[in-house]
Amino acid sequence: MSDLLAQAARKSTAAESDPIIPSADDEPLYESRREIYQQSVKGRLRTVKWVVLFACLGVYYFLPFLRWYRGPNQPDQAVLVDIANNRFYFFFIEIWPQEIYYFTGLLVMASLVLFLMNAVAGRVWCGYLCPQTVWTDLFTVVERWVEGDRRERMIADSKPMSVAKAGRKVLKHFLWLMIAWWTGGAWVLYFADAPTLVKDLATFQAPMVAYIWIGILTFTTYALAGLMKEQVCLYMCPWPRIQAALTDQYALNVTYRYDRGEPRMSMKTAARAREAEQPAGDCIDCHQCVVVCPTGVDIRDGAQLGCIQCGLCIDACNTVMAKVNRPLGLIAYDNDVNIDRRRQGLEEVYPIIRTRTVLYAAMIAAVGLVMLYGLVTRSFTEMSVLHDRNPLFVQLSDGSVRNSYTVRILNKRPLHRIFVLAVDNLPLARLSAVGITTTSGDWPVIDVGPDSTRELIVHVTAAKPADLPQSTRVTFRITELGTGEKASAVDHFISR
């Protein structure tokens, strides 16, 4: 026993001295979160972000109330996901469940557009259009309106809690919850008639599932946009990791032009250095690019995971450069190639049109054209035929042979339609449908209700089976009376 204890002690001592095994004094795997006090900024890119923010929020919150007339007894909401009736309405487009490939095409196009945006201007999606960015920006505006700008919030947080401070905190979180609540409420409006559902929600007559989803989306919006903020971009979002593998040296990214900004020094020191014909950079180390960053990164340290390419540091730096009478654009959208070209005295290049971007654009156009062709040429009538297996055929007393089929006719239009059912490629054939007595010539006439499917048992009888091969390929065809719209399906007639 003593030998075992001695061996264990030696192993413990070796482990403590082994530099490969981490000790308690090593740095933690994850950096502790620090509070980011984002400072407001004015400028061209900030204005662009305001326009995008209001446009995105306006579309999201008010699109369910937009009306679009589709005819009598049809929903008039412009964008509606009608789960009860298995429909998706988007203005004049109506998508059925079996047309899920249109959604697949939209997802493919969205991915390709994201790739194209990345090839042109890096993470421009993250900086301007991402829902996390838009709602976090909105929550930050509310926070700034209630608690003040960066300096006021820092001073207030450094002081002990008081009634006034607690009141501002409560008001801020209340407004955040109201925005989150309306965000969740707007989402469920896409799944039912918006004005009716708003009334039902207010009178507590809406389905329970609506309240559940509003609660879920209220919590997630409040947590992600109000509490977690930049943590979502740093740790939860996969796109920063993916886009790094898709970018190249010609993509425009928010870049600190260190060839011009270094070495950093104060204004007075830089002025003396220039008088002495010594190198002096334009960066005065004011840290304005850092304090306006929503994720708290220092763009002067180069490309980083936390930089969402929002461009606010560009506006902040340009404001400072204008005040110190230095050229604008110390921080700008630029590519990696131009830094080396400027050092060599060469002209800057911005090749937006290149193989990568042309390929992405061509793929987007191809997918879009295929979907457009499908929408333009798609039929509002479909049919399917299934041959009965037991028995495959029946020989009648007069020597003729009968095959039975299950025929399904799908009417995608919101009105009753009348079709004539016929069979081709089978000479001297007779066709009858169980329960159908109306005929047009020798063929049965079938009435199909609006937005519905009708299933029929159909008997096809061949008068001279001896003249037919064992299996004959036949075509079932329906033709709408009046419009002449057609649909067909192929099966086989078994004669022996």
Side-chain angles (χ1 to χ4, degrees), residues 146-217:
V146 174
E147 297 184 337
D149 209 346
R150 180 175 187 270
R151 181 178 178 83
E152 289 80 1
R153 296 201 306 275
M154 293 178 67
I155 293 175
D157 287 351
S158 65
K159 295 180 178 179
M161 186 62 67
S162 63
V163 175
K165 180 179 176 179
R168 287 192 295 269
K169 295 287 186 183
V170 170
L171 176 60
K172 178 185 73 173
H173 287 277
F174 172 77
L175 294 176
W176 280 0
L177 283 170
M178 289 299 98
I179 295 173
W181 169 77
W182 182 240
T183 300
W187 175 257
V188 301
L189 297 182
Y190 286 92
F191 296 85
D193 183 67
T196 304
L197 184 56
V198 168
K199 179 182 177 181
D200 292 343
L201 289 170
T203 56
F204 299 100
Q205 297 178 355
M208 181 56 64
V209 66
Y211 294 104
I212 292 174
W213 274 107
I214 290 175
I216 292 173
L217 292 170

Side-chain angles (χ1 to χ4, degrees), residues 39 49 59 80 162 183 206 215 241 246 260 284 294 308 397 450:
Q39 183 172 298
K49 284 178 65 66
V59 170
L80 176 65
S162 63
T183 300
R241 284 88 176 165
L246 298 174
R260 173 187 149 188
I284 61 173
I308 63 172
S397 59

Side-chain angles (χ1 to χ4, degrees), residues 399-403 426-430 460-465 468 493 495:
S400 60
V401 173
R402 186 182 72 189
N403 285 204
L426 196 63
L428 302 178
R430 301 190 307 273
V460 177
T461 305
K464 296 182 179 181
L468 299 174
F493 183 87
S495 59

Side-chain angles (χ1 to χ4, degrees), residues 202-432:
T203 56
F204 299 100
Q205 297 178 355
M208 181 56 64
V209 66
Y211 294 104
I212 292 174
W213 274 107
I214 290 175
I216 292 173
L217 292 170
T218 298
F219 170 75
T220 54
T221 304
Y222 172 75
L224 297 178
L227 303 179
M228 300 179 68
K229 294 184 178 178
E230 79 286 346
Q231 300 294 298
V232 176
C233 303
L234 292 174
Y235 298 110
M236 295 179 62
C237 180
W239 179 236
R241 284 88 176 165
I242 297 173
Q243 70 91 28
L246 298 174
T247 191
D248 61 11
Q249 69 272 26
Y250 292 106
L252 295 175
N253 292 291
V254 175
T255 305
Y256 168 64
R257 292 168 168 169
Y258 58 84
D259 57 308
R260 173 187 149 188
E262 302 295 329
R264 308 172 197 171
M265 57 187 69
S266 65
M267 291 176 54
K268 294 181 179 179
T269 305
R272 289 195 297 266
R274 293 187 183 100
E275 290 177 358
E277 297 183 354
Q278 295 177 353
D282 285 346
C283 179
I284 61 173
D285 211 14
C286 63
H287 288 274
Q288 287 301 299
C289 57
V290 180
V291 297
V292 301
C293 179
T295 58
V297 304
D298 190 341
I299 191 61
R300 297 173 299 176
D301 294 336
Q304 300 164 68
L305 186 68
C307 179
I308 63 172
Q309 307 286 315
C310 63
L312 295 182
C313 54
I314 297 177
D315 286 339
C317 186
N318 284 341
T319 301
V320 173
M321 291 294 104
K323 291 180 179 180
V324 299
N325 296 319
R326 301 300 299 170
L328 305 182
L330 177 59
I331 302 176
Y333 278 100
D334 203 352
N335 57 53
D336 297 338
V337 175
N338 283 334
I339 292 180
D340 292 333
R341 293 182 66 87
R342 283 191 295 269
R343 285 177 170 176
Q344 299 172 21
L346 301 176
E347 184 180 357
E348 297 177 347
V349 293
Y350 298 95
I352 302 299
I353 301 176
R354 56 190 192 275
T355 304
R356 183 187 296 258
T357 57
V358 171
L359 180 61
Y360 288 148
M363 295 171 67
I364 293 169
V367 175
L369 289 175
V370 169
M371 293 178 59
L372 181 61
Y373 176 80
L375 282 172
V376 172
T377 60
R378 70 174 179 166
S379 173
F380 288 88
T381 306
E382 293 182 8
M383 72 175 301
S384 63
V385 177
L386 180 64
H387 196 293
D388 284 359
R389 299 300 179 185
N390 188 20
L392 286 175
F393 66 94
V394 175
Q395 189 162 6
L396 304 180
S397 59
D398 61 357
S400 60
V401 173
R402 186 182 72 189
N403 285 204
S404 298
Y405 304 85
T406 300
V407 176
R408 290 184 177 88
I409 301 175
L410 175 60
N411 175 21
K412 294 184 178 181
R413 296 190 184 276
L415 44 87
H416 279 86
R417 302 168 70 189
I418 299 176
F419 300 93
V420 176
L421 176 62
V423 62
D424 298 333
N425 305 330
L426 196 63
L428 302 178
R430 301 190 307 273
L431 188 149
S432 62

